[in-house]
Amino acid sequence: ILQLLTSCPLSRNYCVTTQFAFQENEIKLLTAEIERLKNFGCLGVSPSLEGLRDENAKLKYRLNFLKKSLQEERSKSMKSMININSCLQEIFGAAIQAAYPDLENPPLVVTPSQQPKFGDYQCNSAMGISQILLKTREQKVIPREIAEKIAKNIPANEYIEKVEIAGPGFINVHLRKDFVSKQLSSLLINGVQPPANGKRKKAVVDFSSPNIAKEMHVGHLRSTIIGESMCRLFEFAGYDVLRLNHLGDWGTQFGMLIAHLQDKFPDYLTVSPPIGDLQAFYKESKQRFDTEEEFKKRAYQCVVLLQSKNPDFIKAWNLICDVSRREFQKIYNCLDVTIIERGESFYHEMMKDIVKEFEDKGFVQVDDGRKVVFVPGFPVPLTIVKSDGGYTYDTSDLAALKHRLCEEKGDILIYVVDSGQSVHLQTIFAAGQMIGWYDPKVTRVAHAAFGVVLGEDKKKFKTRSGDTVRLIDLLEEGLKRAMDKLKDKERDKVLTPEELKAAQTSVAFGCIKYADLSHNRLNDYVFSFDKMLDDRGNTAAYLLYAFTRIRAIARLANIDEQMLRKAAREEVLVLDHEKEWKLGKCILRFPEILQKILEDLLLHTLCDYLYELATTFTEFYDSCYCVEKDRQTGQIVKVNMWRLLLCEATATVMAKGFDILGIKPVQRM
């Protein structure tokens, strides 16, 4: 039961509490057993003293182990930021259960309030329960009565100051200020800590996935940026993460590339071929493949020799792959992306066994010489063997799925692939379930689909000549425009050359990433350098400048990091001003934002939150003096330390949010 509960994200806080209770109960039982053995109380016969000592020593060892484990878990849990929404769901879940014990699966709806006058959170379950009672029991109970009954059954807790019934049956929740203050102090002392998750799980993320011999273009931007950020999020949440680059590094196109390599660089086996522009090399070979029949025949022969592992052809293949890898790595270095290459070739040797497994289980049909697999609910079958005996993308994707499930033991598999592959991937996933590789109730396999990058004309983003935009060109243009922006703001006059360079890369690559991540990944979005570099509105430029200003407040007040740490342990964070209270609550919503993204994989939610946090901070800073100065001399006359601590808490959460998004802030901008 514990294992099932800890697998549910919404029950995590409840699970930690349950686990503590379970361990404490076991400690009590073991302690009682030790006492029983000491006294020989219920043995009835004279036991062997040596045997009793042995048993006693084992029990004491187990007891000490449990106590230590319980202490470590409690310590870790106390350092973690609390997901207030989840805690309130547990409380209202218990209240609803007490009020309506016979009601199965009652709705549990707890959300942050949109307006301060309605409290800090709202429980809106009463309306749903009213409908259930009417439909299932024909009981007409007005929601307000239900809300009152729920409110009366709220268990004692440390979070809620008071609740109020409003409107037709909303339960408005007011948090305790001392609770919020303590949580902010804990954040300042311990930093942003991930939740205590129990058993460590493994996430396998498939992203980026360019094709060998083709340059990465703007179409690869979304997969690379979204995938890397998802990996960072899951790592922060305590998962072991395997980043996989499913390269297109196998197939018939390599036949034409190798044949062209042989013609253009006949000494390639002894002299490394100077392939400067692989894209041009690919176009040349493709043109020959389409127009020269003799070349086409030789290209097919090269494929056969490559797949039979002929050493000369393997070397040619490796040479071509290495040129691509070097170009890809330039992109990954710019975007600070870490990824493990595991292309289609990696799964080649497994495909024969995949076909046999589907045949042995009776799932294979022969259609016009092809071996196909029909998956229930999907009209188009998977082709796992072509009529000429070759394998297909379907075969390699099935092999990849099985390897990630059965060999890598992934608990969560995420495919960051464009929306156009949705039907194909859903068919692959369904085939994996059908053959018994995984149970979707236990293992999560998800397609994190994304839309297209558009130009400002709302058409697919291309160059003026109609070519696909090379990703390296886009990144270099971003660097140029970022420097222009910094010089417009005269930052080159106050920053050292090193600081200016750091600011340039931070703004350029941060803005490109944020422009992508701040849009719902399911939708297409318009790429615009002007918009992404604007330091107003929900952009990385605005957030980076805001973050730098927040970090500078303590420095301008001559308060160093050591003084802030000391104050975090000694000062009480006063939240009397409405803007202090609003900012404090906003900071503490960070864990529930991350939990939502872990569930729906929509990273724009984090961008929206960071923008809300920055604007909420601006409201606070405009209304609440952190540092008071003499108007005539400009000298500091008073430092309101608890407000400086609120600045530090804001910056701490923003920094972690930036880290998840792969954005690197700098000290000065």
Side-chain angles (χ1 to χ4, degrees):
I1 292 170
L2 260 175
Q3 192 172 7
L4 284 171
L5 281 169
T6 48
S7 69
C8 175
L10 291 176
S11 303
R12 189 165 291 122
N13 290 319
Y14 173 73
C15 292
V16 172
T17 307
T18 307
Q19 190 171 8
F20 291 162
F22 182 84
Q23 289 180 333
E24 284 176 337
N25 188 50
E26 190 169 355
I27 287 170
K28 287 178 184 176
L29 292 172
L30 287 171
T31 305
E33 180 67 8
I34 289 170
E35 289 301 315
R36 188 182 73 83
L37 289 171
K38 275 183 184 177
N39 300 325
F40 312 140
C42 56
L43 296 177
V45 292
S46 180
S48 162
L49 186 59
E50 197 62 37
L52 284 171
R53 281 177 177 163
D54 218 28
E55 185 68 17
N56 199 23
K58 288 178 182 176
L59 286 169
K60 280 185 176 178
Y61 174 80
R62 174 68 179 156
L63 182 62
N64 289 332
F65 176 80
L66 276 171
K67 284 180 177 177
K68 186 179 178 183
S69 173
L70 184 60
Q71 189 175 4
E72 287 174 354
E73 285 295 323
R74 272 193 172 142
S75 175
K76 187 176 178 182
S77 180
M78 286 171 66
K79 289 180 179 179
S80 299
M81 287 185 75
I82 288 177
N83 185 331
I84 296 174
N85 195 303
S86 290
C87 293
L88 293 177
Q89 287 191 41
E90 292 161 19
I91 289 166
F92 279 97
I96 292 168
Q97 175 66 28
Y100 297 95
D102 300 327
L103 205 61
E104 287 188 21
N105 300 318
L108 182 58
V109 185
V110 179
T111 59
S113 292
Q114 299 302 310
Q115 296 182 44
K117 65 180 180 180
F118 296 135
D120 306 312
Y121 284 81
Q122 280 186 338
C123 175
N124 302 332
S125 299
M127 281 66 77
I129 292 172
S130 175
Q131 291 177 359
I132 290 173
L133 291 173
L134 184 62
K135 287 179 182 177
T136 61
R137 302 182 185 180
E138 297 184 351
Q139 294 179 6
K140 191 172 182 180
V141 186
I142 62 172
R144 193 175 178 90
E145 287 182 18
I146 295 169
E148 288 170 351
K149 192 172 182 181
I150 293 170
K152 287 177 184 176
N153 283 279
I154 292 174
N157 63 85
E158 62 178 311
Y159 315 113
I160 299 174
E161 177 70 34
K162 64 177 181 178
V163 297
E164 297 170 335
I165 313 299
F170 302 113
I171 304 176
N172 294 337
V173 180
H174 296 262
L175 296 176
R176 291 178 54 165
K177 286 191 175 178
D178 61 339
F179 162 72
V180 172
S181 178
K182 285 176 185 175
Q183 293 308 308
L184 291 168
S185 295
S186 175
L187 164 65
L188 289 161
I189 294 167
N190 300 308
V192 183
Q193 298 292 330
N197 276 336
K199 178 179 174 283
R200 196 171 177 88
K201 292 187 175 183
K202 186 172 185 178
V204 180
V205 185
D206 175 331
F207 68 103
S208 193
S209 308
N211 289 314
I212 293 292
K214 294 183 181 179
E215 287 186 291
M216 290 178 75
H217 54 76
V218 72
H220 295 108
L221 181 70
R222 302 211 74 183
S223 178
T224 305
I225 290 173
I226 294 167
E228 173 65 21
S229 293
M230 283 184 184
C231 291
R232 289 168 178 260
L233 174 61
F234 276 94
E235 281 174 335
F236 173 69
Y239 288 77
D240 289 322
V241 176
L242 177 61
R243 295 163 157 87
L244 292 184
N245 199 357
H246 192 75
L247 290 179
D249 67 349
W250 203 249
T252 55
Q253 76 270 26
F254 282 94
M256 69 181 191
L257 289 166
I258 293 170
H260 189 54
L261 180 74
Q262 290 172 333
D263 292 344
K264 195 164 185 177
F265 304 104
D267 58 351
Y268 75 91
L269 290 172
T270 54
V271 180
S272 182
I275 304 175
D277 188 342
L278 196 56
Q279 188 81 350
F281 185 85
Y282 181 90
K283 285 180 179 178
E284 289 169 10
S285 63
K286 183 70 168 68
Q287 186 177 8
R288 292 186 67 189
F289 185 83
D290 292 339
T291 59
E292 300 176 26
E293 196 59 36
E294 192 60 37
F295 179 83
K296 191 173 187 177
K297 287 179 183 177
R298 190 153 59 86
Y300 281 127
Q301 290 171 355
C302 289
V303 173
V304 174
L305 289 166
L306 175 63
Q307 292 183 346
S308 64
K309 301 296 178 68
N310 180 293
D312 290 352
F313 288 81
I314 289 292
K315 180 165 185 178
W317 173 71
N318 276 322
L319 285 169
I320 294 166
C321 289
D322 286 343
V323 175
S324 280
R325 287 189 190 102
R326 287 193 293 272
E327 294 305 310
F328 297 159
Q329 196 56 48
K330 291 177 185 176
I331 304 288
Y332 297 141
N333 289 344
C334 286
L335 296 176
D336 194 22
V337 169
T338 306
I339 195 165
I340 293 171
E341 180 186 318
R342 193 171 287 174
E344 293 166 0
S345 60
F346 178 85
Y347 305 101
H348 185 69
E349 297 299 325
M350 307 172 197
M351 296 187 202
K352 182 179 178 182
D353 291 337
I354 293 293
V355 173
K356 187 175 185 303
E357 186 174 353
F358 274 90
E359 286 178 330
D360 290 346
K361 294 194 176 179
F363 292 127
V364 175
Q365 298 179 31
V366 178
D367 177 36
D368 198 22
R370 301 176 304 146
K371 291 184 178 180
V372 300
V373 173
F374 282 92
V375 182
F378 295 88
V380 179
L382 296 171
T383 299
I384 59 173
V385 181
K386 295 187 290 186
S387 56
D388 63 2
Y391 300 123
T392 68
Y393 289 124
D394 293 347
T395 331
S396 62
D397 283 342
L398 285 168
L401 177 65
K402 184 177 183 184
H403 189 269
R404 294 165 188 182
L405 290 166
C406 303
E407 299 299 323
E408 294 294 351
K409 310 289 185 188
D411 297 292
I412 295 176
L413 272 58
I414 301 171
Y415 288 67
V416 187
V417 182
D418 69 85
S419 301
Q421 297 296 313
S422 183
V423 174
H424 165 71
L425 286 174
Q426 294 305 325
T427 311
I428 294 290
F429 300 161
Q433 289 179 50
M434 180 178 74
I435 204 166
W437 291 342
Y438 75 103
D439 179 353
K441 293 177 182 177
V442 178
T443 305
R444 181 183 180 186
V445 181
H447 174 207
F450 55 85
V452 177
V453 181
L454 304 174
E456 294 192 62
D457 59 358
K458 305 291 177 69
K459 296 179 181 178
K460 205 166 182 179
F461 196 31
K462 293 192 174 182
T463 63
R464 288 182 181 177
S465 62
D467 292 331
T468 304
V469 178
R470 299 194 319 160
L471 193 45
I472 194 69
D473 292 342
L474 183 142
L475 296 177
E476 287 174 356
E477 179 70 12
L479 284 169
K480 177 183 175 298
R481 293 194 182 218
M483 182 59 78
D484 291 343
K485 184 77 174 179
L486 289 164
K487 287 181 177 179
D488 285 345
K489 296 173 75 71
E490 298 187 335
R491 306 314 296 160
D492 55 321
K493 295 179 181 178
V494 295
L495 300 178
T496 66
E498 293 76 16
E499 288 173 336
L500 186 64
K501 179 69 176 174
Q504 178 194 23
T505 55
S506 174
V507 171
F509 302 144
C511 286
I512 289 170
K513 290 178 181 180
Y514 193 87
D516 192 300
L517 295 169
S518 62
H519 291 86
N520 187 322
R521 64 171 168 78
L522 297 171
N523 302 331
D524 300 340
Y525 83 95
V526 175
F527 189 94
S528 166
F529 276 117
D530 291 337
K531 286 181 181 176
M532 70 175 62
L533 290 167
D534 194 341
D535 54 10
R536 296 163 298 175
N538 189 7
T539 66
Y542 167 75
L543 291 175
L544 286 166
Y545 285 121
F547 178 80
T548 304
R549 286 196 297 272
I550 295 168
R551 280 287 193 221
I553 293 168
R555 187 171 65 248
L556 294 172
N558 298 318
I559 303 294
D560 61 24
E561 192 175 333
Q562 188 176 353
M563 294 167 72
L564 283 170
R565 283 202 301 267
K566 184 174 184 291
R569 287 178 167 82
E570 297 174 356
E571 289 274 342
V572 174
L573 274 81
V574 181
L575 303 170
D576 289 342
H577 194 287
E578 64 171 319
K579 299 302 182 184
E580 293 171 338
W581 180 237
K582 184 178 180 181
L583 179 59
K585 291 185 297 175
C586 188
I587 292 167
L588 294 186
R589 280 181 46 228
F590 189 54
E592 59 194 71
I593 295 296
L594 296 188
Q595 184 57 51
K596 183 179 184 302
I597 303 168
L598 286 169
E599 291 163 11
D600 62 24
L601 305 177
L602 295 173
L603 286 154
H604 72 277
T605 307
L606 177 55
C607 298
D608 292 344
Y609 167 76
L610 290 174
Y611 180 61
E612 180 189 348
L613 181 60
T615 53
T616 303
F617 176 84
T618 300
E619 290 178 23
F620 154 78
Y621 192 67
D622 289 344
S623 303
C624 304
Y625 290 113
C626 299
V627 180
E628 297 180 34
K629 295 181 179 180
D630 185 285
R631 291 189 177 183
Q632 293 181 336
T633 65
Q635 290 184 324
I636 296 171
V637 295
K638 184 180 180 183
V639 174
N640 295 317
M641 187 58 80
W642 80 91
R643 288 177 176 167
L644 277 187
L645 290 175
L646 273 173
C647 297
E648 181 65 16
T650 303
T652 300
V653 167
M654 285 185 76
K656 178 51 68 178
F658 284 154
D659 183 58
I660 290 169
L661 297 175
I663 295 171
K664 287 186 175 180
V666 290
Q667 288 297 318
R668 297 182 67 201
M669 284 185 64

